[in-house]
Amino acid sequence: MKPTIASKLQRLADRFEELNHLLAAEDATADMERYRKLSREHAELTPVVEHYQTYRQAEADLATAEGMLDDPELRELAESEIEAAKAKLAALEIALQRLLLPKDPNDERNIFLEIRAGTGGNESALFAGDLFRMYARYAERQRWKVEVVSSNEGEVGGYKEVIARIVGTGAYSKLKFESGGHRVQRVPETEAQGRIHTSACTVAVMPEADELNEIAINPAELRIDTFRASGAGGQHINKTDSAVRITHLPTGLVVECQDDRSQHRNKAQALSVLAARLKDRQLQEQQTKEAATRKSLVGSGDRSDRIRTYNFPQGRITDHRINLTLYKIDAIMDGDLEELIGALTTEHQTEQLAALSGE
């Protein structure tokens, strides 16, 4: 084990012992907020320290076995125990490194998913619809809930833009690497010559802010406009100004919501999306700073980056960040994303482990 990692583990073990004393003190519950904070820290450290204690015991077992090598009668047993101890130490070291990886505080959050048609006109809008269905089917497999917050339908189907809220444990951890440019290559139904067209969409995955006050939004910096909702909705929706448009003046961010008949609910949804976009902007700034010292190819979330190509004629999907090509486009477009998401998560963890070892 590298000295830097061993030193970090020993510091965590010392802190764990300190927490045991603090939580066992007579006045531990006098300040309940402090008690809860210490209890959370104790719970987070428990699996790390337990693995570290097992690792230290395996080191001691290895030393004992090596001490028996000089005894001819015990040599065969010693060699067997040394081999077992070394294998155990190697497995424990990998487990400990994974436990030490920095946890993303947003991983368990719900998300806002935004898909926008880009170059390619009607074909791009149709592809945006296909992408939305892909994510909705994946969410269904995870037993998550999908709520359309706002949508602007394309002229021949699909979406020029669609925003959805996805509610479910670990939604951000699973889908956070989907942000970026998605390119499609296929023959449109309207193409008489059978030529392959290329079009693109952008996807943004943003963690939902727990509460609006988590992101400081000054009401004086908002311009709120109401207007009549467009599209289908019956007489009521066309007679009242139920649709809401919120402009965040400092950043120029604009959010529209018109899918609900209630102006109040549309405003609440629009504020939630705005809070998520502002939080996402903070995350991107933070990731940009981190990338200055260590390039994180998977987690950059840069909307301008082309991250994936969907080639329908050849039945393949290629993720350019990790050079992964899968020939199962029909299954993936039907929401079978586990192999893609697993590969992206593994690559991200590999980057984190490299950074941890280099500290």
Side-chain angles (χ1 to χ4, degrees):
M1 181 182 289
K2 291 196 173 185
T4 51
I5 294 176
S7 174
K8 188 169 187 175
L9 285 165
Q10 187 55 53
R11 288 198 303 272
L12 292 177
D14 292 342
R15 174 59 178 167
F16 185 76
E17 194 62 33
E18 183 184 359
L19 287 169
N20 281 333
H21 291 302
L22 291 170
L23 290 168
E26 287 185 13
D27 60 346
T29 57
D31 182 346
M32 285 306 295
E33 182 60 34
R34 178 174 176 269
Y35 181 76
R36 280 192 288 268
K37 186 177 178 182
L38 292 174
S39 296
R40 280 196 300 270
E41 186 182 355
H42 186 273
E44 288 172 3
L45 287 182
T46 297
V48 181
V49 174
E50 285 179 350
H51 272 73
Y52 181 52
Q53 288 170 343
T54 306
Y55 183 88
R56 294 296 302 273
Q57 183 58 52
E59 281 186 321
D61 293 343
L62 176 62
T64 301
E66 287 174 339
M68 298 189 300
L69 285 172
D70 294 334
D71 188 330
E73 294 182 6
L74 297 175
R75 186 175 184 84
E76 189 175 337
L77 174 65
E79 288 175 345
S80 174
E81 290 192 0
I82 287 171
E83 187 178 342
K86 284 183 175 178
K88 188 175 183 179
L89 282 169
L92 283 167
E93 185 171 349
I94 291 170
L96 280 166
Q97 286 184 350
R98 294 202 180 281
L99 286 169
L100 285 177
L101 293 180
K103 291 178 175 60
D104 189 331
N106 297 307
D107 271 353
E108 297 307 308
R109 296 189 184 222
N110 303 328
I111 62 168
F112 283 104
L113 169 72
E114 295 188 358
I115 304 174
R116 287 188 178 82
T119 55
N122 289 335
E123 175 62 15
S124 179
L126 290 170
F127 181 51
D130 292 338
L131 285 177
F132 177 68
R133 180 183 180 277
M134 177 182 80
Y135 292 124
R137 292 282 291 122
Y138 178 71
E140 188 181 305
R141 291 166 184 249
Q142 302 296 313
R143 292 185 166 81
W144 297 339
K145 184 180 176 184
V146 180
E147 305 167 353
V148 175
V149 173
S150 177
S151 62
N152 182 4
E153 295 182 2
E155 293 170 11
V156 297
Y159 297 102
K160 293 178 182 176
E161 176 187 272
V162 59
I163 303 173
R165 178 173 178 253
I166 298 181
V167 180
T169 304
Y172 185 70
S173 70
K174 292 282 192 179
L175 293 176
K176 62 184 174 182
F177 301 126
E178 293 301 301
S179 291
H182 295 242
R183 184 177 68 168
V184 63
Q185 295 172 325
R186 64 183 174 188
V187 180
E189 292 180 13
T190 55
E191 171 56 60
Q193 304 295 322
R195 291 174 299 189
I196 296 172
H197 286 227
T198 299
S199 54
C201 292
T202 56
V203 171
V205 174
M206 304 172 295
E208 181 181 40
D210 279 343
E211 299 289 344
L212 287 180
N213 59 13
E214 185 184 349
I215 299 294
I217 299 177
N218 183 351
E221 295 177 340
L222 301 178
R223 187 175 74 236
I224 301 177
D225 301 306
T226 58
F227 56 99
R228 291 185 183 180
S230 59
Q235 292 180 332
H236 169 84
I237 202 165
N238 291 321
K239 284 185 176 179
T240 61
D241 291 345
S242 59
V244 175
R245 180 188 299 113
I246 298 179
T247 305
H248 187 245
L249 300 174
T251 60
L253 289 172
V254 179
V255 180
E256 284 186 11
C257 190
Q258 57 175 311
D259 276 38
D260 200 290
R261 291 187 172 192
S262 162
Q263 184 188 112
H264 176 73
R265 284 194 290 270
N266 279 332
K267 181 181 176 183
Q269 282 278 40
L271 281 171
S272 294
V273 175
L274 177 61
R277 284 188 184 172
L278 290 169
K279 182 179 180 65
D280 182 58
R281 182 172 283 213
Q282 289 179 1
L283 286 173
Q284 287 203 60
E285 288 173 357
Q286 180 184 334
Q287 287 167 348
T288 301
K289 287 177 184 175
E290 290 173 0
T293 54
R294 179 177 62 88
K295 176 63 175 170
S296 179
L297 294 174
V298 174
S300 68
D302 192 333
R303 310 289 183 264
S304 63
D305 285 350
R306 188 188 76 213
I307 65 167
R308 195 175 296 149
T309 295
Y310 303 71
N311 187 305
F312 278 81
Q314 296 180 18
R316 63 175 166 83
I317 287 182
T318 300
D319 195 292
H320 305 290
R321 295 164 295 178
I322 55 175
N323 295 320
L324 174 68
T325 297
L326 299 174
Y327 288 88
K328 48 188 287 187
I329 196 165
D330 290 339
I332 289 172
M333 296 309 293
D334 194 43
D336 183 7
L337 300 178
E338 282 301 337
E339 189 172 354
L340 261 176
I341 288 169
L344 288 161
T345 302
T346 299
E347 179 69 18
H348 182 58
Q349 289 182 343
T350 301
E351 287 182 356
Q352 287 182 307
L353 285 169
L356 181 68
S357 299
E359 284 180 356

